[in-house]
Amino acid sequence: MSRSKALQYYIVSRLLFAPLQLLTIITIVFLLLRATPGDPADAILGGRAPESAKEELRKQLGLDLPIWLQYLNYLGHILRFDLGTSLTSRGQNVGEIIGQYFPATVELAVCSMLVALIVGILVGTFSASRPGTYFDVGGRLFGIITYALPMFWAGMLLQLIFSVQLGWFPNSNRFPPNLPAPASMTGLYTIDSLLSGNFGQFLTALHHLALPSLTLGILLSGIFERIVRVNLKQTLKADYVEAARARGISENKILVSHALKNALIPVITVLGLTFASLLGGAILTEVTFSWPGLANRLYQAISDRDYPTVQGVLVFFGAIVVSASILIDILNAYVDPRIRY
């Protein structure tokens, strides 16, 4: 089978497998929420509400039905792209909640991923190009520490230092509450301010975005640093690198033009896996920095036992992770000719 036909077969098989992955996520989320202790009726009406009122509310929410029937009803809503109605947001549709809060999470996630890639690749490259030195040891320690540090602890520590004590960055929100936010076009304040030609708003939005994205990005950069350092060290020992040295090519050119290009191939694969970590880290980062994103809204829904909102947001996040995984697999298959199907 030719490579092009094998690649097409691989892409089709990954696309056909995606619904099964999403169904698994939907099922796990549904069962876990039903298994957690507590009663949504108590969360909405309060513990002192009459039992008759609670029973009526459970009936309206469909919680009095058998678990298998609740599951089938929920699958039916999902197939109609209906994620349900929030129990605590005055009957607001979950899809509307996602549309309202998701742009803030996208802005934080994209900036954090850029920081993680830049810092991880630079530190990994610098460390691998100087094996056995203090720079190599420092790179290894950087990768271990940033990977192991708890996200919420590092966020609170950096917030205490740079926001509270030094006053360099704001400690919450996307934009000052006493100033008008950028006109909503994409929902991304940095992009919207540039599109409207207001450079002052762009700097203000970037100032509020800097500390949360740097915190999340630096803590995720350890993943890329370790992968780049290990693969680059192996690549620098390859035969074609030795042949390039024998031809008198400078070490910097060998590093950038030959070795680094091949060492970055595994980074593409890890991008998809890191995306799930990014969403998980976004929850802790948004809560710590009071960032008004979808992850923070999910945390509030969990605290309020808002079943439909929690289910809808988690399914939405699951769909994003599955889609990102498929895109990364396809991209990696195109980039790396060594992959077999």
Side-chain angles (χ1 to χ4, degrees):
M1 184 183 297
S2 65
R3 174 173 169 77
S4 61
K5 289 184 178 180
L7 186 58
Q8 292 174 7
Y9 175 78
Y10 173 73
I11 293 174
V12 171
S13 63
R14 288 293 285 117
L15 292 176
L16 292 176
F17 189 61
L20 180 59
Q21 291 178 300
L22 193 56
L23 179 62
T24 304
I25 293 173
I26 292 172
T27 305
I28 292 174
V29 169
F30 179 86
L31 294 177
L32 286 178
L33 286 176
R34 295 307 185 278
T36 53
D39 187 352
D42 288 334
I44 297 171
L45 299 178
R48 297 183 179 180
E51 189 62 32
S52 59
K54 294 180 182 178
E55 288 294 336
E56 181 63 27
L57 181 59
R58 294 189 191 102
K59 186 175 181 180
Q60 292 177 5
L61 299 177
L63 298 177
D64 61 329
L65 299 174
I67 189 72
W68 63 270
L69 189 55
Q70 293 183 42
Y71 177 68
L72 292 179
N73 288 338
Y74 185 62
L75 284 182
H77 287 292
I78 292 292
L79 292 175
R80 296 194 299 269
F81 298 99
D82 180 11
L83 296 177
T85 303
S86 172
L87 302 180
T88 58
S89 297
R90 299 178 181 179
Q92 187 179 16
N93 187 275
V94 176
E96 296 175 356
I97 293 176
I98 293 174
Q100 178 181 350
Y101 290 94
F102 188 55
T105 299
V106 171
E107 194 166 41
L108 175 62
V110 170
C111 292
S112 300
M113 184 61 78
L114 289 175
V115 171
L117 282 172
I118 293 172
V119 174
I121 291 174
L122 287 178
V123 175
T125 302
F126 197 75
S127 173
S129 61
R130 292 162 176 80
T133 64
Y134 289 112
F135 298 107
D136 189 17
V137 176
R140 271 183 283 178
L141 287 176
F142 175 84
I144 294 172
I145 292 173
T146 53
Y147 186 77
L149 277 179
M151 194 77 66
F152 66 91
W153 181 84
M156 289 188 291
L157 182 64
L158 294 176
Q159 193 176 36
L160 180 63
I161 295 173
F162 294 104
S163 295
V164 178
Q165 294 184 349
L166 298 177
W168 291 357
F169 299 100
N171 61 0
S172 63
N173 294 324
R174 298 179 68 192
F175 212 77
N178 58 335
L179 294 177
S184 181
M185 287 177 269
T186 64
L188 310 178
Y189 282 2
T190 50
I191 302 298
D192 289 342
S193 56
L194 289 176
L195 292 177
S196 61
N198 194 325
F199 195 67
Q201 284 185 334
F202 170 76
L203 293 178
T204 302
L206 193 62
H207 190 213
H208 280 73
L209 179 63
L211 189 58
S213 60
L214 285 172
T215 301
L216 183 56
I218 289 174
L219 293 183
L220 289 176
S221 66
I223 300 173
F224 297 107
E225 185 277 335
R226 296 169 71 183
I227 293 172
V228 170
R229 180 174 55 81
V230 171
N231 283 279
L232 187 56
K233 277 187 174 182
Q234 295 176 350
T235 306
L236 288 173
K237 298 175 183 178
D239 293 339
Y240 71 90
V241 173
E242 294 296 335
R245 290 194 180 105
R247 292 197 301 271
I249 300 176
S250 66
E251 198 67 28
N252 288 335
K253 189 173 181 180
I254 291 175
L255 179 66
V256 175
S257 301
H258 295 75
L260 186 58
K261 186 184 300 183
N262 290 325
L264 289 180
I265 290 178
V267 174
I268 299 176
T269 304
V270 176
L271 271 174
L273 301 176
T274 308
F275 202 79
S277 301
L278 183 66
L279 292 177
I283 296 177
L284 300 175
T285 305
E286 289 184 8
V287 172
T288 302
F289 289 92
S290 299
W291 188 261
L294 186 58
N296 197 359
R297 183 64 182 85
L298 172 63
Y299 172 78
Q300 295 173 6
I302 294 173
S303 302
D304 297 335
R305 295 197 59 79
D306 188 348
Y307 274 170
T309 302
V310 175
Q311 287 179 161
V313 174
L314 288 179
V315 169
F316 178 71
F317 278 162
I320 292 176
V321 173
V322 171
S323 301
S325 175
I326 292 173
L327 289 175
I328 292 299
D329 286 346
I330 294 174
L331 179 61
N332 195 48
Y334 273 110
V335 171
D336 192 352
R338 296 171 297 180
I339 293 180
R340 295 292 181 266
Y341 314 98

